[in-house]
Amino acid sequence: MSTTVENVIIIGSGPAGHTAAIYTARADLKPLMFEGFMAGGVAAGGQLTTTTEIENFPGFPEGLPGPELMDRMRAQSVHCGTRIETDTVTSVDLSKRPFRVVTDGGEFLAQTLILATGATAKRLSLPGEEKLWQRGISACAVCDGALPLFRQKPLVVIGGGDTACEEATYLTKFGSVVHLLVRRDVLRASKAMQDRTKNNPKIQIHWFTEALEALGDKTLTGVKVKNNQTGATEVIEAAGLFYAIGHEPNTKFLDGQLELDETGYLKTVPGTARTSVKGVFAAGDVQDKVYRQAITAAGSGCMAALEAERLLSEEETH
Ligand code: FAD
Ligand code: NDP
């Protein structure tokens, strides 16, 4: 075990983690980042490494591939002085400071922690899904909906929560029609979102309907579905299939030491990055179930870094 006590350890390497790294490194806190090794099934660099073109991150008017954006963020973190270990954190001890961080490679101590481990979109593992992932199938309508592939084409959204309703509504801007597949006869979404969805003439809700297979060769051409009451099957022609069946925040390694909300996201004090343990901050999708964008993750990474810096300097002067 290392006996050095780090000022700050950052866990996770998406836009939130790298922004926190850039800010804490520039504040001369010499941050140590664990970027993960296929943690939560995602490569170091996070969810954007799994996508093609990013067109909504400011500063890149022509857009750029997700992996390139993350390479650039990593290079900037290193340039500012961040030390990066390609290890996954397996457990932490938050019972006292300095906090203990355990990885596959050793044990480390830190005065403050920034948790930026992201979230993983749930998938259905349908036949055809692997082949057609990002070739018509996506788990983020806001990210991918505007692609030319989907313009004026029929689209399918699966889910009945706020995300599904919001994404179906958003997709009506691009698709010719949006089929919303709901496995029960009710939407789980808030009343306002339900009303908006039900009243949108471009959204067709299919109640009691489950997807069976994603169809297509090079890109998606349709979705085979089943009515789970009658057993009847049909093929819905579609160029796009969007999963909106929830996300799983990557919090297992915390082993219940921090407060989570009812859906498993890390709780932060509203308007701050502070968690339920002093000195532990959270940023990005691991604490955000509403916006879930690279730029909001980066913004909250900045907040976490500034708060860690303030806490350390307050403690130094007292
Ligand atoms: P993530 O990007 O999820 O990164 C977290 C990282 O932490 C991962 O690398 C993970 O492996 C690592 N990690 C997890 N657990 C551990 C651990 N125990 N130890 C060490 N490391 C760990 N947003 C946009 O703004 N524009 C887009 O165009 C866009 N496109 C998208 C396309 C797809 C297919 C997806 C899935 C998402 C897209 N998003 C987009 C959303 C965006 O990717 C996320 O909002 C953003 O990446 C969240 O950043 P984050 O830093 O919170 O975490
Ligand atoms: P939810 O967990 O609320 O909803 C998931 C939906 O997917 C449910 O309708 C569920 O069906 C359905 N589902 C789950 N698994 C499957 C499956 N295997 N096959 C078919 N359907 C499935 O997730 P959301 O992402 O919608 O929302 C998460 C949280 O974020 C909620 O608290 C929500 O209110 C909040 N949110 C708020 C927003 C806002 O305020 N603007 C925007 C987006 C999210 P069933 O109902 O049958 O379980």
Side-chain angles (χ1 to χ4, degrees):
M1 173 170 152
S2 166
T3 50
T4 310
V5 179
E6 306 286 346
N7 295 311
V8 55
I9 285 181
I10 298 164
I11 308 176
S13 54
H18 279 300
T19 305
I22 291 162
Y23 273 78
T24 49
R26 294 192 76 243
D28 210 19
L29 295 178
K30 301 179 174 53
L32 174 62
M33 171 189 277
F34 292 105
E35 67 177 351
F37 182 77
M38 292 309 290
V42 180
Q47 295 171 61
L48 291 186
T49 64
T50 67
T51 189
T52 47
E53 211 62 6
I54 308 297
E55 294 179 337
N56 53 11
F57 199 86
F60 300 95
E62 280 84 35
L64 81 174
E68 188 185 328
L69 178 59
M70 294 320 302
D71 283 349
R72 283 170 174 256
M73 286 194 199
R74 190 182 193 279
Q76 195 171 352
S77 294
V78 171
H79 175 77
C80 291
T82 307
R83 292 157 297 144
I84 301 184
E85 299 284 342
T86 309
D87 266 345
T88 296
V89 171
T90 51
S91 66
V92 290
D93 179 356
L94 307 181
S95 60
K96 59 177 189 303
R97 290 171 77 194
F99 304 118
R100 201 157 59 93
V101 172
V102 181
T103 74
D104 296 332
E107 289 188 26
F108 304 82
L109 297 170
Q111 283 300 350
T112 62
L113 292 183
I114 295 179
L115 308 177
T117 47
T120 311
K122 289 183 196 161
R123 296 193 192 182
L124 284 175
S125 300
L126 297 177
E129 177 181 308
E130 197 66 46
K131 183 176 68 173
L132 297 167
W133 186 254
Q134 292 290 303
R135 294 165 187 271
I137 309 184
S138 161
C140 183
V142 177
C143 316
D144 299 329
L147 294 175
L149 178 69
F150 302 128
R151 297 282 167 124
Q152 291 310 314
K153 299 277 172 44
L155 306 173
V156 170
V157 174
I158 303 180
D162 280 317
T163 303
C165 290
E166 204 168 75
E167 301 211 336
T169 305
Y170 177 75
L171 288 169
T172 58
K173 287 201 241 179
F174 310 108
S176 54
V177 57
V178 177
H179 299 275
L180 181 62
L181 310 188
V182 182
R183 65 180 172 181
R184 297 187 290 148
D185 62 345
V186 285
L187 293 170
R188 182 189 285 266
S190 60
K191 174 81 171 61
M193 203 71 92
Q194 289 196 29
D195 290 346
R196 201 180 311 160
T197 308
K198 287 176 180 166
N199 293 332
N200 189 320
K202 284 181 83 179
I203 299 176
Q204 278 181 29
I205 305 182
H206 301 248
W207 303 109
F208 291 123
T209 302
E210 294 177 31
L212 293 180
E213 188 177 353
L215 306 171
D217 190 14
K218 289 202 172 69
T219 59
L220 185 89
T221 54
V223 183
K224 187 173 176 188
V225 303
K226 181 176 100 173
N227 181 303
N228 60 26
Q229 302 295 295
T230 64
T233 63
E234 64 169 314
V235 171
I236 299 177
E237 191 196 323
L241 169 59
F242 295 84
Y243 290 154
I245 58 171
H247 280 69
E248 195 165 338
N250 298 318
T251 56
K252 284 207 180 78
F253 69 102
L254 296 169
D255 199 24
Q257 295 174 80
L258 290 177
E259 270 181 40
L260 307 177
D261 73 9
E262 60 294 345
T263 46
Y265 285 79
L266 277 176
K267 257 191 178 171
T268 50
V269 176
T272 78
R274 276 174 256 148
T275 68
S276 53
V277 171
K278 188 177 179 186
V280 182
F281 304 93
D285 284 15
V286 72
Q287 54 83 56
D288 170 18
K289 65 184 174 199
V290 178
Y291 302 107
R292 296 191 288 227
Q293 297 296 297
I295 191 68
T296 47
S300 62
C302 163
M303 288 165 64
L306 294 179
E307 292 200 44
E309 183 194 349
R310 276 177 203 156
L311 178 69
L312 289 169
S313 56
E314 266 167 34
E315 289 175 341
E316 215 171 83
T317 51
H318 287 100

